[in-house]
Amino acid sequence: MRAGAAHLLGTHDFSSFRASACQALSPVKTMRRIEIRRIGSGERCRWQFVFEADAFLHHMIRNIMGCLVRIGQGQAQPAWMAQVLAAQSRLVAAPTFSPAGLYFLGPQYDSAWGLPPEVTVGAATDPYDGLA
């Protein structure tokens, strides 16, 4: 899954991961960070996915998760993610993943906006540290 996710880093047209109801003016977004962690082992393990981007499209993370799960289950190779991204079409991607267990942790803004430090890029800490 990590190898597949690596194809999404950087600035891309994320149309393949965009919901039909998306109202964003542009599908071009910059994915700055993707972290994938396995916490625990055996049947009681859980997975943590952290995505950081300049903005997200409607259902973008749910659609990316559908593709990552397909890769993680061995139904697709990691390079398939690059093909999905390049196609710029929802028709080639995996089904939209369930929202259950997916949480938006909040926005982070560029410090140039003069907002409080706790909401600026680079100031945030991992909210899951120590919860394993």
Side-chain angles (χ1 to χ4, degrees):
M1 289 187 291
R2 289 179 189 96
H7 294 287
L8 303 175
L9 294 171
T11 303
H12 303 284
D13 181 326
F14 282 91
S15 291
S16 292
F17 306 100
R18 181 181 196 165
S20 60
C22 184
Q23 297 179 15
L25 297 178
S26 171
V28 177
K29 306 297 174 200
T30 302
M31 185 72 73
R32 292 191 284 251
R33 176 173 71 121
I34 302 174
E35 291 182 17
I36 302 173
R37 298 182 203 166
R38 181 179 178 158
I39 301 168
S41 61
E43 291 182 21
R44 297 193 47 86
C45 83
R46 64 183 174 93
W47 290 87
Q48 176 188 357
F49 296 78
V50 176
F51 298 89
E52 183 180 308
D54 61 349
F56 294 99
L57 301 168
H58 187 211
H59 287 180
M60 180 173 158
I61 296 304
R62 289 179 61 193
N63 293 327
I64 289 172
M65 285 300 302
C67 292
L68 290 174
V69 167
R70 182 172 281 180
I71 291 168
Q73 291 175 334
Q75 298 173 2
Q77 295 297 312
W80 173 70
M81 187 68 87
Q83 296 169 358
V84 172
L85 184 65
Q88 298 177 7
S89 169
R90 268 301 289 137
L91 299 175
V92 300
T96 304
F97 195 74
S98 168
L102 299 179
Y103 300 95
F104 178 63
L105 297 177
Q108 294 178 341
Y109 299 98
D110 189 281
S111 59
W113 290 100
L115 296 170
E118 60 271 13
V119 297
T120 58
V121 175
T125 60
D126 185 344
Y128 291 101
D129 282 351
L131 295 180

